[in-house]
Amino acid sequence: MDSISGRELYYWYQRAKQYAIANNIEPKEVDWLLQTITDLSSLSLRIGSFQNQAQINSKKSLSELNLLWQQRLQNRLPVQYLVETVFWRRFQLKVTPAVLIPRPETELIVDIAQEAIKNSIFGIEQNCHWVDLGTGSGAIALGLADSFPQAKIHAVDCSPEALKIARENAINLQLENHIYFYHGNWWDRLEFLRGKVTGMISNPPYIPTSDLEKLQPEVFQHEPHLALDGGVDGLDYIRYLAKSAPQYLVSGGVWLVEMAIDQSDKVVELLDRQEEYYDIKVLPDLNGIDRFVLAYKS
């Protein structure tokens, strides 16, 4: 642990915010960065009272902090990757460029899963098998383990680097005994769960390939394309999940995915056409944007 004088840090803080504005970066990222590596509160940052402190404990020295911020400005490296940390639901998760950064809007998917179980006409048991396909950092699996403490959570990813991060997050949050991790593609390692799954949750790649270059440089240049590229129309993996899930879900089992803003009609149509789902719903994220499709297996 290093320490930085309040006056020095205040001077750095003011300049960092100016540079953020000049580079079209949200100035609040500076606050988030400092709150992550120091014990400063949002209030002390907002009113600047920390400048009167003799020393402030910090996980980084002032020179290291400056180098981090230069990476943010010059390389457009997401601030979450700078400190390998993101806050999601009630968790503090480790993230690296090996995993997609969990977004605030995705937090809602766990709440939707909880409500979906209550509304299933089959009255299925919530404490059975839940599957998180394409787990990445493990965020959704961790949310499910926290919400359904008696259930068995199965988290799958094709990236060994991502699974390493997911396992580390589970250990750090003391949820490792509730989650089983598998290296593989989608259902490949889960044949033993055919007809036994209470709910399948996924935030699959759903960006059309031609749209990748239009994403913010923070996303396109640094986040794993494996977790973004959904094929020509962005629906390759959602289409696969819709077709394959009925073999694994129990009657009344939950099918729940995140999607892009303009994909809801197409996803509903492909579920309808398959005739193996009922009560198909499009649900909004925290900003009121259509973000999730929920359905139940017939």
Side-chain angles (χ1 to χ4, degrees), residues 6-21:
R7 187 171 296 278
E8 284 182 313
L9 189 59
Y10 181 77
Y11 178 67
W12 181 89
Y13 174 71
Q14 295 298 327
R15 290 185 62 197
K17 286 214 161 190
Q18 292 171 6
Y19 285 130
I21 294 169

Side-chain angles (χ1 to χ4, degrees), residues 42-99:
S42 59
L43 177 62
S44 63
L45 287 167
R46 188 165 64 249
I47 66 178
S49 60
F50 66 93
Q51 65 181 301
N52 299 318
Q53 294 180 225
Q55 295 293 323
I56 296 168
N57 291 329
S58 174
K59 296 175 185 176
K60 304 287 183 181
S61 67
L62 190 60
S63 60
E64 289 172 330
L65 179 59
N66 194 54
L67 284 174
L68 284 178
W69 192 243
Q70 287 305 311
Q71 288 187 65
R72 178 72 186 98
L73 297 174
Q74 296 173 14
N75 301 331
R76 310 301 291 195
L77 189 67
V79 67
Q80 294 91 339
Y81 289 156
L82 289 178
V83 289
E84 296 191 342
T85 300
V86 67
F87 296 95
W88 194 83
R89 290 182 71 85
R90 69 178 189 86
F91 308 131
Q92 181 174 340
L93 303 178
K94 178 177 180 179
V95 292
T96 73
V99 299

Side-chain angles (χ1 to χ4, degrees), residues 6-270:
R7 187 171 296 278
E8 284 182 313
L9 189 59
Y10 181 77
Y11 178 67
W12 181 89
Y13 174 71
Q14 295 298 327
R15 290 185 62 197
K17 286 214 161 190
Q18 292 171 6
Y19 285 130
I21 294 169
N23 285 272
N24 295 316
I25 292 172
E26 282 285 342
K28 65 182 179 182
E29 287 194 17
V30 184
D31 295 63
W32 189 90
L33 178 60
L34 289 184
Q35 285 180 262
T36 305
I37 68 171
T38 72
D39 54 5
L40 292 175
S41 68
S42 59
L43 177 62
S44 63
L45 287 167
R46 188 165 64 249
I47 66 178
S49 60
F50 66 93
Q51 65 181 301
N52 299 318
Q53 294 180 225
Q55 295 293 323
I56 296 168
N57 291 329
S58 174
K59 296 175 185 176
K60 304 287 183 181
S61 67
L62 190 60
S63 60
E64 289 172 330
L65 179 59
N66 194 54
L67 284 174
L68 284 178
W69 192 243
Q70 287 305 311
Q71 288 187 65
R72 178 72 186 98
L73 297 174
Q74 296 173 14
N75 301 331
R76 310 301 291 195
L77 189 67
V79 67
Q80 294 91 339
Y81 289 156
L82 289 178
V83 289
E84 296 191 342
T85 300
V86 67
F87 296 95
W88 194 83
R89 290 182 71 85
R90 69 178 189 86
F91 308 131
Q92 181 174 340
L93 303 178
K94 178 177 180 179
V95 292
T96 73
V99 299
L100 200 69
I101 298 169
R103 268 56 174 184
E105 56 265 27
T106 306
E107 294 183 13
L108 196 58
I109 204 168
V110 177
D111 300 309
I112 293 171
Q114 289 177 299
E115 286 300 312
I117 282 297
K118 297 177 186 177
N119 297 328
S120 173
I121 63 173
F122 285 84
I124 55 177
E125 175 59 51
Q126 67 179 31
N127 295 323
C128 196
H129 298 283
W130 286 83
V131 173
D132 173 20
L133 298 180
T135 194
S137 65
I140 292 174
L142 292 162
L144 292 172
D146 188 50
S147 299
F148 305 123
Q150 303 305 315
K152 294 179 180 179
I153 313 301
H154 306 270
V156 182
D157 206 287
C158 64
S159 165
E161 294 81 9
L163 282 174
K164 182 179 178 182
I165 298 295
R167 286 193 180 99
E168 188 173 337
N169 283 326
I171 291 169
N172 290 342
L173 294 166
Q174 299 182 330
L175 290 169
E176 72 274 19
N177 293 330
H178 299 273
I179 306 173
Y180 302 86
F181 292 98
Y182 308 85
H183 176 222
N185 289 306
W186 308 109
W187 298 102
D188 288 353
R189 298 286 305 280
L190 302 179
E191 287 293 313
F192 66 98
L193 287 179
R194 282 179 176 266
K196 300 178 182 179
V197 176
T198 299
M200 181 221 77
I201 318 295
S202 184
N203 180 13
Y206 53 68
I207 306 297
T209 304
S210 60
D211 288 349
L212 291 177
E213 293 185 356
K214 302 173 187 176
L215 297 172
Q216 292 177 308
E218 286 84 350
V219 179
F220 179 67
Q221 294 175 15
H222 299 287
E223 298 204 55
H225 286 200
L226 187 65
L228 297 168
D229 190 346
V232 175
D233 63 354
L235 295 172
D236 281 3
Y237 300 109
I238 293 178
R239 194 177 288 112
Y240 166 76
L241 293 174
K243 183 178 180 180
S244 58
Q247 304 168 51
Y248 295 86
L249 292 171
V250 298
S251 292
V254 172
W255 188 93
L256 176 59
V257 300
E258 182 172 324
M259 63 184 174
I261 294 172
D262 58 352
Q263 292 175 337
S264 60
D265 289 345
K266 293 178 181 177
V267 176
V268 169
E269 181 184 349
L270 67 90

Side-chain angles (χ1 to χ4, degrees), residues 271-290:
L271 289 169
D272 265 331
R273 194 165 57 240
Q274 197 163 323
E275 298 183 343
E276 292 185 90
Y277 299 94
Y278 70 92
D279 201 10
I280 302 166
K281 297 176 182 176
V282 176
L283 298 167
D285 62 18
L286 297 170
N287 296 313
I289 297 170
D290 288 345

